[in-house]
Structures are given as C-alpha cells and as structure tokens.
mmCIF file of all heavy atoms in Angstrom:
data_model
loop_
_atom_site.group_PDB
_atom_site.id
_atom_site.type_symbol
_atom_site.label_atom_id
_atom_site.label_comp_id
_atom_site.label_asym_id
_atom_site.label_seq_id
_atom_site.Cartn_x
_atom_site.Cartn_y
_atom_site.Cartn_z
ATOM 1 N N ARG A 29 31.603 -77.021 -34.077
ATOM 2 C CA ARG A 29 32.018 -75.839 -34.815
ATOM 3 C C ARG A 29 30.801 -75.269 -35.526
ATOM 4 O O ARG A 29 30.205 -75.946 -36.368
ATOM 5 C CB ARG A 29 33.095 -76.182 -35.828
ATOM 6 C CG ARG A 29 33.717 -74.973 -36.510
ATOM 7 C CD ARG A 29 34.523 -75.407 -37.702
ATOM 8 N NE ARG A 29 35.429 -74.373 -38.183
ATOM 9 C CZ ARG A 29 35.837 -74.268 -39.449
ATOM 10 N NH1 ARG A 29 35.429 -75.145 -40.344
ATOM 11 N NH2 ARG A 29 36.677 -73.310 -39.808
ATOM 12 N N LEU A 30 30.465 -74.053 -35.181
ATOM 13 C CA LEU A 30 29.374 -73.360 -35.834
ATOM 14 C C LEU A 30 29.914 -72.483 -36.954
ATOM 15 O O LEU A 30 31.001 -71.922 -36.848
ATOM 16 C CB LEU A 30 28.609 -72.490 -34.833
ATOM 17 C CG LEU A 30 28.069 -73.182 -33.580
ATOM 18 C CD1 LEU A 30 27.301 -72.182 -32.730
ATOM 19 C CD2 LEU A 30 27.210 -74.368 -33.933
ATOM 20 N N SER A 31 29.115 -72.361 -38.000
ATOM 21 C CA SER A 31 29.465 -71.489 -39.113
ATOM 22 C C SER A 31 28.328 -70.516 -39.365
ATOM 23 O O SER A 31 27.164 -70.838 -39.153
ATOM 24 C CB SER A 31 29.718 -72.302 -40.381
ATOM 25 O OG SER A 31 30.781 -73.200 -40.220
ATOM 26 N N CYS A 32 28.694 -69.338 -39.839
ATOM 27 C CA CYS A 32 27.697 -68.326 -40.200
ATOM 28 C C CYS A 32 28.157 -67.667 -41.487
ATOM 29 O O CYS A 32 29.214 -67.032 -41.513
ATOM 30 C CB CYS A 32 27.549 -67.301 -39.097
ATOM 31 S SG CYS A 32 26.538 -65.886 -39.551
ATOM 32 N N ALA A 33 27.364 -67.826 -42.513
ATOM 33 C CA ALA A 33 27.692 -67.257 -43.811
ATOM 34 C C ALA A 33 26.791 -66.070 -44.095
ATOM 35 O O ALA A 33 25.565 -66.183 -43.995
ATOM 36 C CB ALA A 33 27.539 -68.311 -44.896
ATOM 37 N N ALA A 34 27.395 -64.961 -44.456
ATOM 38 C CA ALA A 34 26.651 -63.757 -44.816
ATOM 39 C C ALA A 34 26.623 -63.617 -46.333
ATOM 40 O O ALA A 34 27.596 -63.936 -47.010
ATOM 41 C CB ALA A 34 27.301 -62.534 -44.186
ATOM 42 N N SER A 35 25.508 -63.146 -46.839
ATOM 43 C CA SER A 35 25.368 -62.950 -48.278
ATOM 44 C C SER A 35 24.700 -61.612 -48.535
ATOM 45 O O SER A 35 24.037 -61.043 -47.673
ATOM 46 C CB SER A 35 24.556 -64.089 -48.893
ATOM 47 O OG SER A 35 23.251 -64.124 -48.347
ATOM 48 N N GLY A 36 24.876 -61.136 -49.762
ATOM 49 C CA GLY A 36 24.325 -59.838 -50.122
ATOM 50 C C GLY A 36 25.421 -58.786 -50.199
ATOM 51 O O GLY A 36 26.605 -59.102 -50.154
ATOM 52 N N LYS A 37 25.001 -57.540 -50.283
ATOM 53 C CA LYS A 37 25.961 -56.439 -50.364
ATOM 54 C C LYS A 37 26.377 -56.052 -48.948
ATOM 55 O O LYS A 37 25.665 -55.307 -48.256
ATOM 56 C CB LYS A 37 25.339 -55.253 -51.093
ATOM 57 C CG LYS A 37 26.344 -54.181 -51.476
ATOM 58 C CD LYS A 37 25.703 -53.130 -52.374
ATOM 59 C CE LYS A 37 26.736 -52.097 -52.792
ATOM 60 N NZ LYS A 37 26.138 -51.048 -53.669
ATOM 61 N N ILE A 38 27.516 -56.559 -48.535
ATOM 62 C CA ILE A 38 27.965 -56.408 -47.163
ATOM 63 C C ILE A 38 29.031 -55.325 -47.067
ATOM 64 O O ILE A 38 30.050 -55.400 -47.752
ATOM 65 C CB ILE A 38 28.533 -57.742 -46.633
ATOM 66 C CG1 ILE A 38 27.476 -58.842 -46.746
ATOM 67 C CG2 ILE A 38 28.998 -57.594 -45.188
ATOM 68 C CD1 ILE A 38 28.028 -60.224 -46.650
ATOM 69 N N PRO A 39 28.827 -54.326 -46.226
ATOM 70 C CA PRO A 39 29.866 -53.308 -46.048
ATOM 71 C C PRO A 39 31.169 -53.946 -45.580
ATOM 72 O O PRO A 39 31.158 -54.880 -44.776
ATOM 73 C CB PRO A 39 29.278 -52.402 -44.971
ATOM 74 C CG PRO A 39 27.805 -52.605 -45.076
ATOM 75 C CD PRO A 39 27.631 -54.043 -45.448
ATOM 76 N N SER A 40 32.272 -53.431 -46.072
ATOM 77 C CA SER A 40 33.559 -54.050 -45.750
ATOM 78 C C SER A 40 33.921 -53.895 -44.279
ATOM 79 O O SER A 40 34.644 -54.712 -43.719
ATOM 80 C CB SER A 40 34.659 -53.450 -46.621
ATOM 81 O OG SER A 40 34.727 -52.049 -46.415
ATOM 82 N N ILE A 41 33.440 -52.832 -43.672
ATOM 83 C CA ILE A 41 33.691 -52.622 -42.241
ATOM 84 C C ILE A 41 32.470 -53.108 -41.463
ATOM 85 O O ILE A 41 31.384 -52.542 -41.583
ATOM 86 C CB ILE A 41 33.987 -51.153 -41.926
ATOM 87 C CG1 ILE A 41 35.228 -50.698 -42.703
ATOM 88 C CG2 ILE A 41 34.180 -50.949 -40.430
ATOM 89 C CD1 ILE A 41 35.553 -49.233 -42.551
ATOM 90 N N ASN A 42 32.672 -54.172 -40.727
ATOM 91 C CA ASN A 42 31.531 -54.731 -39.998
ATOM 92 C C ASN A 42 32.057 -55.570 -38.843
ATOM 93 O O ASN A 42 33.267 -55.778 -38.692
ATOM 94 C CB ASN A 42 30.676 -55.592 -40.931
ATOM 95 C CG ASN A 42 31.439 -56.758 -41.524
ATOM 96 O OD1 ASN A 42 31.759 -57.721 -40.825
ATOM 97 N ND2 ASN A 42 31.746 -56.694 -42.815
ATOM 98 N N ALA A 43 31.155 -56.031 -38.057
ATOM 99 C CA ALA A 43 31.472 -56.993 -37.006
ATOM 100 C C ALA A 43 30.476 -58.139 -37.118
ATOM 101 O O ALA A 43 29.326 -57.927 -37.499
ATOM 102 C CB ALA A 43 31.392 -56.356 -35.626
ATOM 103 N N MET A 44 30.948 -59.311 -36.807
ATOM 104 C CA MET A 44 30.064 -60.482 -36.781
ATOM 105 C C MET A 44 30.214 -61.130 -35.417
ATOM 106 O O MET A 44 31.314 -61.213 -34.868
ATOM 107 C CB MET A 44 30.411 -61.459 -37.904
ATOM 108 C CG MET A 44 30.157 -60.872 -39.277
ATOM 109 S SD MET A 44 30.448 -62.040 -40.628
ATOM 110 C CE MET A 44 28.983 -63.079 -40.499
ATOM 111 N N GLY A 45 29.108 -61.558 -34.903
ATOM 112 C CA GLY A 45 29.151 -62.113 -33.558
ATOM 113 C C GLY A 45 28.203 -63.279 -33.376
ATOM 114 O O GLY A 45 27.287 -63.494 -34.170
ATOM 115 N N TRP A 46 28.493 -64.022 -32.344
ATOM 116 C CA TRP A 46 27.630 -65.131 -31.929
ATOM 117 C C TRP A 46 26.978 -64.782 -30.598
ATOM 118 O O TRP A 46 27.657 -64.326 -29.667
ATOM 119 C CB TRP A 46 28.454 -66.413 -31.785
ATOM 120 C CG TRP A 46 28.879 -67.002 -33.082
ATOM 121 C CD1 TRP A 46 30.083 -66.859 -33.700
ATOM 122 C CD2 TRP A 46 28.089 -67.828 -33.943
ATOM 123 N NE1 TRP A 46 30.095 -67.539 -34.892
ATOM 124 C CE2 TRP A 46 28.884 -68.151 -35.067
ATOM 125 C CE3 TRP A 46 26.789 -68.334 -33.871
ATOM 126 C CZ2 TRP A 46 28.421 -68.954 -36.107
ATOM 127 C CZ3 TRP A 46 26.336 -69.134 -34.900
ATOM 128 C CH2 TRP A 46 27.147 -69.431 -35.997
ATOM 129 N N TYR A 47 25.696 -64.988 -30.556
ATOM 130 C CA TYR A 47 24.915 -64.804 -29.344
ATOM 131 C C TYR A 47 24.198 -66.123 -29.059
ATOM 132 O O TYR A 47 24.065 -66.959 -29.941
ATOM 133 C CB TYR A 47 23.880 -63.692 -29.535
ATOM 134 C CG TYR A 47 24.480 -62.313 -29.702
ATOM 135 C CD1 TYR A 47 25.140 -61.963 -30.865
ATOM 136 C CD2 TYR A 47 24.374 -61.358 -28.690
ATOM 137 C CE1 TYR A 47 25.701 -60.698 -31.024
ATOM 138 C CE2 TYR A 47 24.919 -60.089 -28.834
ATOM 139 C CZ TYR A 47 25.583 -59.773 -30.003
ATOM 140 O OH TYR A 47 26.130 -58.515 -30.149
ATOM 141 N N ARG A 48 23.742 -66.261 -27.834
ATOM 142 C CA ARG A 48 22.973 -67.464 -27.524
ATOM 143 C C ARG A 48 21.830 -67.123 -26.584
ATOM 144 O O ARG A 48 21.897 -66.160 -25.817
ATOM 145 C CB ARG A 48 23.860 -68.551 -26.914
ATOM 146 C CG ARG A 48 24.403 -68.230 -25.532
ATOM 147 C CD ARG A 48 25.379 -69.314 -25.088
ATOM 148 N NE ARG A 48 25.884 -69.085 -23.738
ATOM 149 C CZ ARG A 48 26.834 -69.819 -23.170
ATOM 150 N NH1 ARG A 48 27.398 -70.833 -23.826
ATOM 151 N NH2 ARG A 48 27.228 -69.548 -21.928
ATOM 152 N N GLN A 49 20.808 -67.937 -26.673
ATOM 153 C CA GLN A 49 19.652 -67.767 -25.802
ATOM 154 C C GLN A 49 19.206 -69.132 -25.303
ATOM 155 O O GLN A 49 18.778 -69.979 -26.087
ATOM 156 C CB GLN A 49 18.505 -67.062 -26.535
ATOM 157 C CG GLN A 49 17.361 -66.703 -25.626
ATOM 158 C CD GLN A 49 16.393 -65.729 -26.272
ATOM 159 O OE1 GLN A 49 16.375 -65.543 -27.494
ATOM 160 N NE2 GLN A 49 15.589 -65.055 -25.459
ATOM 161 N N ALA A 50 19.345 -69.324 -24.010
ATOM 162 C CA ALA A 50 18.899 -70.555 -23.374
ATOM 163 C C ALA A 50 17.429 -70.401 -22.972
ATOM 164 O O ALA A 50 16.943 -69.280 -22.815
ATOM 165 C CB ALA A 50 19.756 -70.850 -22.154
ATOM 166 N N PRO A 51 16.730 -71.504 -22.803
ATOM 167 C CA PRO A 51 15.319 -71.429 -22.411
ATOM 168 C C PRO A 51 15.126 -70.610 -21.139
ATOM 169 O O PRO A 51 15.810 -70.824 -20.140
ATOM 170 C CB PRO A 51 14.947 -72.902 -22.190
ATOM 171 C CG PRO A 51 15.892 -73.663 -23.041
ATOM 172 C CD PRO A 51 17.169 -72.896 -23.013
ATOM 173 N N GLY A 52 14.222 -69.656 -21.209
ATOM 174 C CA GLY A 52 13.917 -68.835 -20.048
ATOM 175 C C GLY A 52 14.929 -67.756 -19.729
ATOM 176 O O GLY A 52 14.814 -67.075 -18.704
ATOM 177 N N LYS A 53 15.913 -67.606 -20.595
ATOM 178 C CA LYS A 53 16.958 -66.603 -20.343
ATOM 179 C C LYS A 53 17.026 -65.599 -21.483
ATOM 180 O O LYS A 53 16.516 -65.834 -22.571
ATOM 181 C CB LYS A 53 18.309 -67.277 -20.158
ATOM 182 C CG LYS A 53 18.391 -68.164 -18.924
ATOM 183 C CD LYS A 53 19.811 -68.624 -18.682
ATOM 184 C CE LYS A 53 19.917 -69.425 -17.394
ATOM 185 N NZ LYS A 53 21.311 -69.859 -17.126
ATOM 186 N N GLN A 54 17.698 -64.492 -21.209
ATOM 187 C CA GLN A 54 17.858 -63.467 -22.228
ATOM 188 C C GLN A 54 18.981 -63.849 -23.188
ATOM 189 O O GLN A 54 19.887 -64.611 -22.843
ATOM 190 C CB GLN A 54 18.189 -62.132 -21.547
ATOM 191 C CG GLN A 54 17.102 -61.626 -20.630
ATOM 192 C CD GLN A 54 16.880 -60.132 -20.759
ATOM 193 O OE1 GLN A 54 17.598 -59.452 -21.481
ATOM 194 N NE2 GLN A 54 15.892 -59.608 -20.065
ATOM 195 N N ARG A 55 18.898 -63.307 -24.381
ATOM 196 C CA ARG A 55 19.962 -63.525 -25.341
ATOM 197 C C ARG A 55 21.225 -62.807 -24.853
ATOM 198 O O ARG A 55 21.171 -61.685 -24.380
ATOM 199 C CB ARG A 55 19.548 -62.991 -26.720
ATOM 200 C CG ARG A 55 20.444 -63.420 -27.852
ATOM 201 C CD ARG A 55 19.879 -63.000 -29.198
ATOM 202 N NE ARG A 55 18.587 -63.633 -29.454
ATOM 203 C CZ ARG A 55 17.954 -63.552 -30.622
ATOM 204 N NH1 ARG A 55 18.494 -62.862 -31.620
ATOM 205 N NH2 ARG A 55 16.785 -64.132 -30.783
ATOM 206 N N GLU A 56 22.356 -63.496 -24.994
ATOM 207 C CA GLU A 56 23.616 -62.930 -24.515
ATOM 208 C C GLU A 56 24.712 -63.100 -25.550
ATOM 209 O O GLU A 56 24.706 -64.047 -26.346
ATOM 210 C CB GLU A 56 24.037 -63.620 -23.209
ATOM 211 C CG GLU A 56 24.287 -65.115 -23.334
ATOM 212 C CD GLU A 56 24.705 -65.782 -22.045
ATOM 213 O OE1 GLU A 56 24.713 -65.112 -20.982
ATOM 214 O OE2 GLU A 56 25.056 -66.978 -22.078
#
C-alpha cells in the first residue's frame, strides 16, 4: 500500500495520481 500526502495550500479541486517508471521505460 502506497501513500502520498500533500501539504501546503492545495486547491480544493484537484486530481492526484500515481505514475510509475521502470528502468529503461517511460513514466506511465
């Protein structure tokens, strides 16, 4: 289970996403 915490003044309308990048490949 991965977690991602955002801090600061964050606009209420937003999207959060997970991307990954394997060795030698583009981020997806």
Side-chain angles (χ1 to χ4, degrees):
R29 188 193 196 208
L30 305 182
S31 299
C32 171
S35 61
K37 192 172 182 180
I38 303 163
S40 59
I41 300 176
N42 60 72
M44 295 184 75
W46 287 98
Y47 293 72
R48 68 186 183 186
Q49 188 166 17
K53 295 189 176 181
Q54 298 222 356
R55 192 173 298 188
E56 61 180 6

